[in-house]
Amino acid sequence: PGYLTWDQIREMDADGMEMVSHTMTHQDLGTIAAAEATREIQQSKADLETNLKRPVQALIYPYGEPFAYGTEEAQALVTGILHDSGYAVAITNPLPGQSPNLQQGPAPFQFHRLMVSTGMSLTRFVTRLEGRDPR
């Protein structure tokens, strides 16, 4: 209860909504053991691919980690797992005050997400893209 069914997910996918990996249990990948991070990353991808009958190549990090506050070692571990698991890209959150379009780190596994809300004006959207409105 409260979660989508696979039938609903397949219908949304067929209607053009992009379905991407987000791990199995939404753990902070920057703080868990390598074996557990591997399972979280690989099982999520496998379940999506089995149920959607297509490749899944993107992951959105839970909590934006390990790039929001994780160590360089955690970042290297996670990006290695993503690469070895066949992901093409991973998406994180920029830190407060950091430009949302600023690409740093081991691209393609650290693309910043830009939050956009219903009713956002084009002017505000542009200022967010330019990094002048980090909220």
Side-chain angles (χ1 to χ4, degrees):
Y3 293 100
L4 295 172
T5 66
W6 281 114
D7 285 339
Q8 291 168 321
I9 292 169
R10 282 188 287 272
E11 180 180 351
M12 293 166 69
D13 185 65
D15 286 343
M17 180 169 276
E18 183 178 16
M19 298 295 161
V20 300
S21 180
H22 194 53
T23 72
M24 294 298 295
T25 62
H26 204 259
Q27 293 191 63
D28 177 342
L29 295 172
T31 63
I32 60 177
E36 192 170 2
T38 299
R39 187 191 70 76
E40 288 282 331
I41 289 167
Q42 291 179 349
Q43 190 63 55
S44 174
K45 185 179 196 303
D47 286 354
L48 285 166
E49 289 178 344
T50 296
N51 283 283
L52 298 177
K53 309 282 191 256
R54 65 165 181 79
V56 172
Q57 297 181 307
L59 176 129
I60 296 178
Y61 295 106
Y63 311 106
E65 287 294 352
F67 292 100
Y69 302 100
T71 65
E72 287 184 23
E73 293 79 18
Q75 293 168 12
L77 172 75
V78 171
T79 57
I81 295 167
L82 291 168
H83 178 270
D84 294 347
S85 300
Y87 285 90
V89 66
I91 300 150
T92 187
N93 295 322
L95 293 171
Q98 186 178 39
S99 174
N101 67 331
L102 183 61
Q103 189 57 44
Q104 295 177 337
F109 298 118
Q110 190 184 357
F111 280 104
H112 294 315
R113 174 182 2 203
L114 177 64
M115 302 301 281
V116 178
S117 60
T118 303
M120 180 181 284
S121 71
L122 181 58
T123 301
R124 181 145 186 232
F125 177 71
V126 169
T127 61
R128 296 208 68 197
L129 283 176
E130 293 173 343
R132 295 182 289 129
D133 180 11
R135 292 175 284 145

